[in-house]
Amino acid sequence: MAMKIEEISEPIRVLADCTGGKVTPVRFRWGPRTYVIDAVNGQWTDRSGDTYALHYSVQVGDETYYIHFAAGDVQWWLDRVVLEG
Amino acid sequence: MLTDSTSWIVHVDVDAFFPSIEQLLIPSLRDRPVIVGSGCIASCSYEARALGLRAGMPLHEARRRCPQAVVLAGQYQVYRCFAEHIWDICRRYCISLETLLDEAYGQLAIPVAWASCPCKRKNQGQSRRAGTGTHGQDAHATKMPLFFTGPEQIGHALQQQVLDEVHLPISVGLAANRMMAKLASAAAKPGGVRVIWPGTEAAYLAPLPVRTLLGVGPKLADTLTDMNVTTIGQLAAISAASLRAMFGRRGEVIHQRALGRDVHKLRPDAPPKTISRETTFHAPTCDRDEIAAMLCYLLQRAMRAMRQHRLLVGCLEVSIRYDDWKHQATRHALPEPADTDDDVLPSVWRMLDKLYRRRVALRHVGVVLSNFHPAAAAGRLFAPPRRQRRDDLQHAIDAVRDRFGHGSIIAGRAIDLLGRLDQNDYGFVLRTPSLTK
């Protein structure tokens, strides 16, 4: 099955669960549509200079979305989408 | 029970590092052959290895052998973040850690980690009875035991902790020295823990082929094979004096290693002998502005890394690879050690002019800094004011980059890369960034 990766780099709105000292995205709004996150595949922290970004790979159905929270500008971003088929 | 762990060396190797991360982040890649690389395979998953693919193989051949493989260019910045997380976990078990791209050597020091844990003292009574440790709420999550019955248990604990927190498989080798620890982790792959007990090194090595011994390359292995020496045990049986007579000083070292002795110490804070930065262009180019811009950018990154070690560069090497894979390099000794980009760049331009003579596009460029001198020893007592201003400017640029990332300031001819390459906080997104330390 072919895989397609689309670079997006657009700001998004994210509803996240911040309990237990962890930030777990639950759903996000991109354009007119709200995407409910089924699972967080992986997460990592990218430190650059004084600032940092919390990155997540999240699963919405068969699609994988890379999102991140940039602490410097306090903004969530949708980085890329991985589509199957 | 392990009472003194200070002499144990642990080697941690992340299994199929790049593809494992891709398979973690994109679930549909799991159980599928995954290749990371552009031009040739940088790393491939175990599923791909089972189909005959290997690191270094050209991508066109990999595609021919395994058309169903998923080929990804790689997200090297992401890999670096995952590696840092794993090394942070390793540091909980080690007093010193020497990290490479996807592997690390550490000196085990569980008693030190135990004593430094604040919640351990508080919960010491219960923990001893229970036999498991608590680090407050976090400890239950990390499941870090307080007592270990032996090095193997430590290896399993470390492996489990990496799996719990980072969700990546690692192989762990434990032994009395670096060389044996690396051999142990290689034997433990994939996803295992292997201990080579002190005193058993020679017996462990004896049946292995000589080629597996550190320092024995293909040429030396062929020479040894011609002498009917095929195993490390046979090599160890030859006296050190005979090996020295045949191979010089190297012969003595090989003899020691054949007996399982490695004098190579962990050097987590040792200054580097060389610092290099290299990359492949997204498409082969003969645009001199683009080539110069890339070399300028790579040099700035290398020089900044060097200044972080408080070093001055004495020797500079520039290398190029043409589109027909012909490789050329030239080296230049600087008239005096330097630490600012402006001191070195004129030499780079001269070297590029000397090297790039053919009317063929370039696919790869790189710079190597070497022959370092300590910055403090070569301080400029009577630097002219202009020179002092240039040094101050360089330090100011470094300070800004340290705070906001290298990409916050694009200087010199590297400006010509703007619009040609994507950028992030770390700078330009290169096709094949050099990730070696």
Side-chain angles (χ1 to χ4, degrees), chain A residues 1 46-47 49-50 57 84, chain B residues 25 28 32 77 402-403 426:
Chain A
M1 194 157 48
D46 191 344
R47 295 175 204 286
D50 274 3
S57 160
E84 287 290 335
Chain B
L25 299 181
S28 61
R32 287 167 70 181
Q77 184 54 36
D402 288 345
R403 186 162 183 191
Y426 288 87

Side-chain angles (χ1 to χ4, degrees), chain A residues 13-84:
Chain A
R13 295 177 69 194
V14 175
L15 180 67
D17 176 0
C18 299
T19 52
K22 286 171 67 178
V23 179
T24 309
V26 177
R27 62 180 69 182
F28 64 91
R29 190 168 183 84
W30 177 33
R33 199 181 142 191
T34 299
Y35 298 76
V36 179
I37 295 168
D38 298 326
V40 176
N41 302 320
Q43 62 184 83
W44 67 99
T45 306
D46 191 344
R47 295 175 204 286
S48 172
D50 274 3
T51 186
Y52 66 92
L54 303 173
H55 289 259
Y56 301 85
S57 160
V58 298
Q59 200 66 25
V60 179
D62 291 339
E63 294 166 358
T64 304
Y65 293 80
Y66 284 70
I67 61 175
H68 83 267
F69 174 72
D73 52 3
V74 197
Q75 174 69 53
W76 285 89
W77 293 84
L78 173 60
D79 299 321
R80 46 168 35 188
V81 187
V82 182
L83 306 162
E84 287 290 335

Side-chain angles (χ1 to χ4, degrees), chain B residues 85-198:
Chain B
H85 193 172
I86 295 171
W87 308 149
D88 282 346
I89 295 169
C90 291
R91 285 188 185 95
R92 298 173 199 165
Y93 292 78
C94 300
I95 51 170
S96 63
L97 195 75
E98 185 182 329
T99 61
L100 303 164
L101 175 58
D102 63 345
E103 59 181 336
Y105 296 91
Q107 188 174 354
L108 273 193
I110 294 306
V112 174
W114 153 250
S116 65
C117 174
C119 56
K120 171 240 127 195
R121 286 188 289 276
K122 196 171 117 193
N123 300 315
Q124 196 165 356
Q126 301 96 314
S127 303
R128 280 195 174 149
R129 280 192 294 278
T132 54
T134 57
H135 290 226
Q137 290 296 318
D138 292 341
H140 292 295
T142 57
K143 299 183 184 114
M144 185 174 181
L146 287 179
F147 297 109
F148 296 97
T149 53
E152 195 159 9
Q153 197 194 356
I154 296 173
H156 282 298
L158 171 58
Q159 193 178 50
Q160 191 59 46
Q161 209 157 356
V162 170
L163 200 59
D164 289 346
E165 291 187 31
V166 193
H167 308 290
L168 287 178
I170 60 167
S171 297
V172 181
L174 294 118
N177 60 52
R178 276 173 62 109
M179 180 186 74
M180 296 308 298
K182 178 151 175 99
L183 284 170
S185 73
K189 273 180 172 288
V193 175
R194 185 74 180 258
V195 177
I196 299 176
W197 289 91

Side-chain angles (χ1 to χ4, degrees), chain B residues 42-77:
Chain B
S43 182
C44 57
S45 65
Y46 283 101
E47 294 82 2
R49 292 178 199 192
L51 297 166
L53 305 190
R54 293 284 177 271
M57 184 182 282
L59 274 188
H60 61 84
E61 191 185 339
R63 283 199 176 99
R64 186 179 58 76
R65 285 196 190 195
C66 184
Q68 72 274 31
V70 178
V71 181
L72 300 167
Q75 315 169 74
Y76 295 94
Q77 184 54 36

